Amino acid sequence: KTPYEIIRILSDTLDMGGNLLLDIGPRADGTIPKIESDTLKQVGRWVKKNQEAIYGSVAGIPHDYYLGDSTLSKDRKTLYLFIDGKPNGAILLKGLTNRVLRARVVGNGTILNPQRLGATLGGAPALLAIDVPDYTLDPDVTVIALELDGPIKLFHPQEKP
């Protein structure tokens, strides 16, 4: 697998609250083949850059709210959104009732300015749109941190009898 494929598998696994075990075996003499070593170094670069969204995190939010992978800090006050590739427009988050205190790109600290779009409907909060400048994007998967005013609260429509 390519480094990108492994990073995507890792982000999918983290989204569900899991751990990823890679099977990289050394040769009989104890060395690791260069291609595998290079892959591990590239994946390690990404993990080191985004470690706050990985280590100690818990499963993210349902895909009904964000069409991508996500994780939450253990205290559930920071939501991490994983962005695959280059987005075509703003990143959209649905149903977040919390106020965002700060939004930033993990690993480089670029501050972002999320905006609410449209009006609330049926008690649901307006969509949250986050523009991510191209220059801040990771070549593999970019991670955005949304620091919230308390533990995450998502809007759940009331079921009708």
Side-chain angles (χ1 to χ4, degrees), residues 3 20 23-24 30 35 44-47 53 71 92 122 139-141 145 148:
L20 180 63
D23 185 14
I24 304 282
I35 191 165
R45 173 209 62 87
W46 185 85
V47 168
T71 59
L92 298 176
D140 295 306
V141 174
L148 309 174

Side-chain angles (χ1 to χ4, degrees), residues 40-107:
L40 288 173
K41 286 178 183 175
Q42 291 178 55
V43 172
R45 173 209 62 87
W46 185 85
V47 168
K48 182 177 181 182
K49 177 181 180 182
N50 297 291
Q51 61 187 324
E52 73 177 84
I54 299 169
Y55 299 115
S57 67
V58 297
I61 61 175
H63 288 217
D64 293 348
Y65 296 95
Y66 173 64
L67 293 176
D69 295 330
S70 63
T71 59
L72 286 161
S73 60
K74 194 166 227 136
D75 66 4
R76 302 178 62 79
K77 291 181 181 180
T78 303
L79 172 63
Y80 298 99
L81 304 176
F82 294 73
I83 303 168
D84 185 16
K86 182 180 177 186
N88 187 14
I91 302 304
L92 298 176
L93 182 61
K94 176 174 106 173
L96 180 68
T97 62
N98 296 79
R99 191 168 54 90
V100 176
L101 300 176
R102 187 166 84 139
R104 61 186 165 78
V105 178
V106 175

Side-chain angles (χ1 to χ4, degrees), residues 20-39:
L20 180 63
L21 176 63
L22 292 177
D23 185 14
I24 304 282
R27 294 181 177 138
D29 66 359
T31 62
I32 295 176
K34 181 169 176 18
I35 191 165
E36 292 178 3
S37 174
D38 290 346
T39 297

Side-chain angles (χ1 to χ4, degrees), residues 87-141:
N88 187 14
I91 302 304
L92 298 176
L93 182 61
K94 176 174 106 173
L96 180 68
T97 62
N98 296 79
R99 191 168 54 90
V100 176
L101 300 176
R102 187 166 84 139
R104 61 186 165 78
V105 178
V106 175
N108 72 27
T110 301
I111 301 298
L112 304 173
N113 186 24
Q115 301 289 321
R116 292 285 181 174
L117 297 180
T120 60
L121 296 172
L127 285 173
L128 186 70
I130 308 161
D131 283 311
V132 184
D134 288 350
Y135 68 87
T136 66
L137 296 174
D138 185 271
D140 295 306
V141 174

